Amino acid sequence: MKKILIIDDELAYVKLLRDVLSSTYEVLDAQNGQTGLEISLKEKPDLILLDIRMPIMDGMTMLKKLRKDHYGKTAKVILLTNLEANDTIVKQVVEDQPTYYFVKSDIKLEDLLEKIKVLLAS
Amino acid sequence: MSPRVKKMSVFVLASGVACMILLLTYFIWLYTNKTIQEGLQNEFTRQTEDIEISLTQRVQAYTNVLYNVQGLFAVQPFFDRPTWDNFLETSQFGQYPDINHLTYTIIVPDSQKQAFIDKIRADRSVRPQGLPNFTIYPEGKRDSYAVVVFVWPVDDDSLRTSGYDLFTSPARKIVIENARDMNIPVASEKVIIVVDQAPGFIFSAPLYKPNMPLTTVEQRRAAIAGYVSGVFNLRTLFEKALNSPNHKDIAFALYDTTGDASFSAETLLDTNDNGKYSTSSAYTTPYKTIEHISIGTRTWTLKMVAKPSFGGDFPYMVMPWVVGAGGILLSILLFTIIYLQGRSAERQVELEKARDEAILFSIGEGLFVIDTTGKVILVNRAFEEMTGIKQSQIVGKSFVSQIRAEDASGNLIPDEKRPVVKTLREGKEIQSTNGDFYIVRTDHTRFPIAFKTSLVSMNNKMIGVLGIFRDITRELEVDKAKTEFVSIASHQLRTPLGIEKWYLEILKGDSYLKKAPRQIATYFHEVTRNNERVLALVRDLLSVSRIDQGSVKNNPTEVKVSALLRIVVRRMRIIAHPKKVTITLHDKVKELTFYIDGMRLEEVFENIIANAVDYNKPGGSVDITVTIEKNTLNIAVTDTGIGISTDDQKKLFTKFFRSAEGTTHKAEGTGLGLYVTKAYLKEWGGDISVTSTVGQGSTFTVGLPLSLQKRGGETS
């Protein structure tokens, strides 16, 4: 069973995603970048859903640290946030594959699940 | 020009006019004076000539008296008393009051002395008893005697004179002997007439025996028979004969200057003013003259001067002074009028200047004026307060060197990019309200400005630049706070709305909801729709706030424009379907690849096509035409909708604007879509325009420059 790590401080998102994903995948979660990084390196999930604005360590910092790791260098990451695409995000998505980016409030849940399915199938 | 200088100039003007009037007065005065002087001189000459003629005539008259007696003697030698009396009576000598007396004298040789005395004593023609006491006196025996026989007028004195021997008076002897030798009337020196104590003279003429030759002195001495002598009273002459009201202002003195005798008390015969002016050496007058008159062998000199009263009557002497005083008065009057008028006009100008300055200096905006060389001409009080530089410190100095300008990051703005310099060089007025420029104060703090430069022209020639600016620190702060608030609020709103959205999506697919009553399903649909609506609003607000913050991130990538348009059209047909609106794409342009932010371009296409659908009539159409015109790719979206009034078209691209018809037609809508669209297009160097007829439809045309086909082609 593929392993998905959800890193988000907004518990309502975590709960919802866990609910819709747990039937198909093994779902792990963390509420900040620090814990998220630790779990990632330990559990080596197949896909990480990463929020950006979080306490303790934000998503972008965590991603930079993750990419320095052997596993992390190729880990599939979806930036799932409400932040508009700024320079840092765009640079990350364009230059640091495999990184994806969706605005939570813009994307349909259905489309997101489809994207996850496609990514994990490849 | 300072007020002091102007005050001076009015004073100078008024003084100048006054001086000219004074000068003119002076010349008129000179002329008047000259004319009057000449008139007076002429008058003086006329009067003195009159006097001289009177005197000459008088002397001639005396001569004539003597000649008359000579004539009588020639006709009747050794005439008797009745003849003498008769002659005098008919001669009317009485009209000459200055003839003191006239004597008839006979030369008597000593040999005939007694016979002569007897003859006179026996003569009863004077009085019945004759002249028994007649004798020749003074007593004594002399060779001959010049005996006074008749005296006119007849009175006791004259009778007493009878018998007097003139030879015994040396003065008379010289006179009569000179007269005898020269055969002319001869006058004596001055004598004092005893009775009147008045000055006078004796005037004698010879009487010769008839038919005697008189060519030589010897012949005349041989022929001499007697004399006629007059004693003339000069006092009476002056008082009666020469004293006329016509020349009462002339003082004169008569001197006996025979043999070049000088003027002195001795030679003075008489004066008509007791010598007050006529002989005074202390008295000076421009009017004086000296005339010489011959009387017998003597020379008289008549010295005439004008008395102070001469010409004293109006208008002769007064005239120049009237002219002078009038001129002075006129110049004082004109000076006063011009000065007061000038001062009044100046005060008016000063008042207006003060008012202008008050307006200029009380306005809240900093204001400065520079000349064409960039030197400061003036600054107002607000300028001084804002910059900390006083007018006196900056006037005459280069504006750009004295006022440091920076950009938002604190970099010095080079001189050539300074708005005042650009305006001076290019003649272009510049304004900015976005706070790109900062002015540095003297204390090194700085403030952002909104400003405007204007050309100052005179007769179509630029003479300087006027700049006004204001401190927009507070405005920028408020604006920034507002934008930040919108940004933060939007992000914060997104999270709960996003959560709602996904939960609603799950519920929608839930089998429980599918079995729920129709009403529940309707309510659920409304909740979902409004969740989407709020999210759309938040999205738009974020776009606006990004635009306002200037933080729109352009992420150009290779975008196939026509392909993107087809994707959007396809998506829009889904929305259009329920309204039965058909969307047709007419794209005859071959595929173009632009380097452009694809997400935003998609947003642009979505916005205008969605509007064309949303504000269309049921069953209407949307036609999208792609064309190339010059250097622009035009995408025109034409609908058959409600249309937009001309007034509304002007406001269409402003923030939060929604037309009344639009709001009625479609309640939801933020009024931000077209604002955002226009902002994006502007950034790419493109534009959006609209044509519309109310009730028939609108055409929105998006223009994209073809230069976007190259990397970095946008002209932001």
Side-chain angles (χ1 to χ4, degrees), chain B residues 241-271:
Chain B
L242 299 182
N243 205 6
S244 156
N246 293 334
H247 36 72
K248 63 179 169 52
D249 294 323
I250 307 292
F252 50 85
L254 190 64
Y255 291 87
D256 183 348
T257 54
T258 307
D260 290 333
S262 60
F263 300 123
S264 66
E266 283 73 38
T267 58
L268 178 68
L269 294 174
D270 202 3
T271 72

Side-chain angles (χ1 to χ4, degrees), chain B residues 562-581:
Chain B
S562 294
L564 181 65
L565 192 56
R566 281 197 297 278
I567 293 167
V568 176
V569 167
R570 206 176 300 140
R571 198 187 304 149
M572 286 297 127
R573 282 187 178 131
I574 300 166
I575 314 169
H577 184 69
K579 294 186 76 175
K580 296 188 168 42
V581 172

Side-chain angles (χ1 to χ4, degrees), chain B residues 74-92:
Chain B
V75 179
Q76 283 186 277
F78 307 105
F79 47 73
D80 58 7
R81 178 168 287 274
T83 306
W84 168 253
D85 287 345
N86 185 47
F87 164 75
L88 288 172
E89 207 169 298
T90 54
S91 298
Q92 296 181 326

